[in-house]
Amino acid sequence: MGLSCVFSSTTSLMNTQKVKERSKSSTLVLKASEDYGTPRNIYGVTKKKAEQYCVDSGCSVAILRCSRFFAEDAYDTSMDPATRGATLSNGNVKANELLCGLRASLEDMVMAHLAALGRIATDDERRVLGPFIISACSPLLDHEDLDSQFFESAKSMYRALDWKFPQKPLGRILDSRDTWQRLNWQPRWDFLSLVRDFTGGANLDIIKDGSY
């Protein structure tokens, strides 16, 4: 069995200047299979080059583009660094990010890495997986499969917590559906589970604080 590597990349390399400008006036669904051009900053540029280096290395590799997953208070990256404090509560910001597939819980991020390692470290032949987007699956991508009761429950949760839904256009939605199918793993935390738990009276403090 040869060397195996799980590379933690970033979804921010997909938010190129062109994507950033287009997302101001429309909602874009971003997929890992698409190349959106040169990243906006050195962080994204080096991550993208490192992805290619992993592919060219000869070892088995899984490339995971991590979305936001830090437990710290959320902040608005579209604002000037001096005024990045989010106007919405931490729980509200994170719930909105789950809605658009822009965030994953720390738990799901760790499990995705372990699942990916398990996929590439069990074969004698070299395997290259990804790049995969690691984020909660956005229900907006499969909204036709949801009944009206779900949307009413979501609205009730937002009213009860005095939260606000994101304004349209939503900007970016990350499509991670293929990721979880390929890794054969179901994320613990996504917008569906948030609404389900809140409706059932479970994990209320965690949901309110966004500490997942």
Side-chain angles (χ1 to χ4, degrees):
M1 185 181 299
L3 294 174
S4 300
C5 171
V6 177
F7 177 60
S8 302
S9 188
T10 175
T11 56
S12 70
L13 67 82
M14 303 163 65
N15 189 22
T16 60
Q17 190 60 41
K18 183 177 181 180
V19 168
K20 192 175 181 66
E21 291 300 321
R22 289 179 58 197
S23 64
K24 292 179 180 179
S25 58
S26 60
T27 300
L28 306 179
V29 177
L30 303 185
K31 299 184 178 184
S33 58
E34 299 291 331
D35 188 342
Y36 297 96
T38 303
R40 293 179 295 118
N41 51 41
I42 190 63
Y43 176 64
V45 169
T46 53
K47 284 288 191 180
K48 191 171 184 178
K49 286 185 177 294
E51 286 186 0
Q52 189 58 50
Y53 178 82
C54 289
V55 173
D56 296 338
S57 67
C59 68
S60 290
V61 61
I63 299 171
L64 307 185
R65 291 182 178 172
C66 304
S67 61
R68 300 170 188 167
F69 64 92
F70 295 111
E72 291 82 4
D73 285 349
Y75 59 91
D76 190 345
T77 57
S78 67
M79 301 293 289
D80 182 87
T83 57
R84 277 187 171 175
T87 57
L88 302 178
S89 69
N90 190 49
N92 194 170
V93 170
K94 291 183 177 180
N96 287 351
E97 289 175 340
L98 289 182
L99 176 64
C100 296
L102 301 177
R103 170 174 292 277
S105 70
L106 178 58
E107 174 187 349
D108 289 326
M109 191 63 66
V110 171
M111 293 307 300
H113 281 69
L114 292 175
L117 182 60
R119 293 292 303 275
I120 63 175
T122 55
D123 292 340
D124 292 330
E125 295 183 2
R126 184 193 183 215
R127 301 191 69 182
V128 177
L129 296 180
F132 291 151
I133 293 173
I134 307 301
S135 71
C137 292
S138 171
L140 301 176
L141 298 174
D142 293 309
H143 59 84
E144 65 276 3
D145 295 333
L146 301 174
D147 57 32
S148 59
Q149 182 57 49
F150 166 78
F151 293 105
E152 289 304 317
S153 296
K155 292 177 182 178
S156 295
M157 179 179 74
Y158 270 64
R159 283 194 298 268
L161 295 171
D162 196 26
W163 285 356
K164 295 180 179 179
F165 282 101
Q167 295 183 341
K168 295 182 179 180
L170 298 176
R172 295 175 297 124
I173 295 176
L174 296 180
D175 187 351
S176 62
R177 291 174 294 181
D178 181 62
T179 295
W180 304 108
Q181 292 175 1
R182 297 286 299 277
L183 294 181
N184 193 28
W185 182 260
Q186 182 66 36
R188 165 62 184 90
W189 292 96
D190 57 19
F191 193 78
L192 294 177
S193 67
L194 227 61
V195 175
R196 181 188 64 233
D197 285 2
F198 186 85
T199 302
N203 300 312
L204 299 183
D205 289 339
I206 293 176
I207 294 171
K208 181 179 180 180
D209 297 338
S211 54
Y212 37 80

